């Protein structure tokens, strides 16, 4: 799959695919929330709610895998990849790099909610709808954190909803004036900023997922 661009080597189509997947994550979480919310009065909606949540999980997993793929491939045309990885970094720290940033942390948090949601669907029984609509609502709000939508109110005011995992490095506000990006072959000379040396420890691969598992699990007793 190759799209001609003015910058040699860029694979900008991953940005489009990523944005579509994030939008589907948001949409399916909202659908599942509404369906579960109405299940008490319309029991037939439970099947549709489950399908919506399964799709939500599938799209979210696809986003997760896409970001890891971009990091492993050193696609520095994407700001999040450039910000948290570099070519000299050990592959074992790619996962740590994924959740070093805020957007990746939200992604990890949402992944745990999906795992817990699948467990609740399996063993929740009569509690399933009342637990799942809470989880789906939380997923909807967390999804907005990685949506990256921009609305221009007027010439001096811009409203932003969430941060975009798939923003191009040369289009990021902090990078637009960097002379390197006027070069069509800039990717040949670009290396990432890399992971903070303090985080290049195997415990940083283990400990954040455990912490976020705890955050996510709190949704169940709350519901």
């Amino acid at each position: 799959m190759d799209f001609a661009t003015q910058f040699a080597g860029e694979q900008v189509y991953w940005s489009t695919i990523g944005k579509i997947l994030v939008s589907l994550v948001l949409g399916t979480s909202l659908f599942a929330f509404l369906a579960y919310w109405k299940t008490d009065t319309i029991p037939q909606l439970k099947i549709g709610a489950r399908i919506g949540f399964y799709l939500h999980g599938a799209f979210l997993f696809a986003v997760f895998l896409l970001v890891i793929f971009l990091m492993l491939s050193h696609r520095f045309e994407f700001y999040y990849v450039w910000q948290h990885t570099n070519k000299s970094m050990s592959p074992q720290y790619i996962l740590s790099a994924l959740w070093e940033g805020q957007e990746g942390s939200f992604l990890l948090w949402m992944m745990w909610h999906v795992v817990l949601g699948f467990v609740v669907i399996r063993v929740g029984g009569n509690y399933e709808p009342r637990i799942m609509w809470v989880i789906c609502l939380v997923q909807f709000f967390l999804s907005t954190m990685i949506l990256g939508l921009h609305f221009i109110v007027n010439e001096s005011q811009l409203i932003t909803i969430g941060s975009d995992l798939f923003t191009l490095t040369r289009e990021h506000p902090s990078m637009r004036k960097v002379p390197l990006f006027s070069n069509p072959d800039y990717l040949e000379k670009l290396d990432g900023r890399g992971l903070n040396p303090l985080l290049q420890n195997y415990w940083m691969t283990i400990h954040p997922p455990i912490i976020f598992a705890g955050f996510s699990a709190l949704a169940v007793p709350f519901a």
Side-chain angles (χ1 to χ4, degrees):
M1 189 174 186
D2 187 21
F3 285 63
T5 66
Q6 66 182 91
F7 296 97
E10 276 193 346
Q11 296 182 1
V12 295
Y13 51 84
W14 292 122
S15 177
T16 302
I17 293 171
K19 292 174 190 293
I20 291 172
L21 286 172
V22 170
S23 298
L24 290 171
V25 167
L26 180 78
T28 49
S29 66
L30 180 60
F31 172 81
F33 157 67
L34 293 172
Y36 270 119
W37 190 34
K38 290 295 184 180
T39 295
D40 286 341
T41 54
I42 310 175
Q44 297 86 346
L45 285 176
K46 181 186 261 189
I47 295 176
R50 285 179 172 179
I51 292 173
F53 191 77
Y54 288 144
L55 289 173
H56 170 75
F59 292 134
L60 184 63
F61 189 60
V63 173
F64 193 85
L65 288 180
L66 178 56
V67 177
I68 291 176
F69 165 74
L70 294 175
M71 286 182 161
L72 287 171
S73 304
H74 302 306
R75 302 310 314 181
F76 297 127
E77 62 263 47
F78 297 99
Y79 183 75
Y80 196 81
V81 178
W82 172 86
Q83 190 178 29
H84 300 291
T85 66
N86 59 27
K87 294 176 182 177
S88 62
M89 196 170 79
S90 173
Q92 65 180 316
Y93 297 128
I94 290 295
L95 285 177
S96 300
L98 173 60
W99 47 69
E100 181 190 24
Q102 187 179 65
E103 300 90 335
S105 296
F106 283 127
L107 200 57
L108 176 61
W109 195 348
M110 293 169 69
M111 287 294 296
W112 274 120
H113 276 152
V114 166
V115 172
L116 288 167
F118 288 164
V119 173
V120 170
I121 290 173
R122 180 78 175 176
V123 303
N126 293 331
Y127 288 104
E128 179 189 339
R130 66 184 69 180
I131 295 174
M132 288 303 297
W133 78 256
V134 172
I135 290 178
C136 292
L137 183 60
V138 173
Q139 288 292 87
F140 173 76
F141 283 112
L142 288 177
S143 298
T144 64
M145 296 294 101
I146 58 172
L147 195 58
L149 283 183
H150 304 281
F151 299 96
I152 299 175
V153 178
N154 51 52
E155 293 182 357
S156 60
Q157 188 175 4
L158 178 70
I159 295 177
T160 301
I161 300 178
S163 300
D164 187 2
L165 277 161
F166 304 101
T167 297
L168 295 176
T169 306
R170 57 182 168 81
E171 293 182 353
H172 192 272
S174 65
M175 307 293 280
R176 286 175 182 166
K177 295 183 180 180
V178 175
L180 175 65
F181 298 112
S182 62
N183 184 346
D185 299 321
Y186 78 89
L187 276 177
E188 296 180 4
K189 305 173 183 178
L190 185 65
D191 194 7
R193 190 170 69 177
L195 184 66
N196 186 324
L198 295 175
L199 302 181
Q200 295 187 34
N201 182 293
Y202 69 93
W203 285 111
M204 289 308 299
T205 306
I206 301 169
H207 131 93
I210 301 302
I211 295 295
F212 280 98
F215 290 161
S216 304
L218 286 173
V220 176
F222 170 79

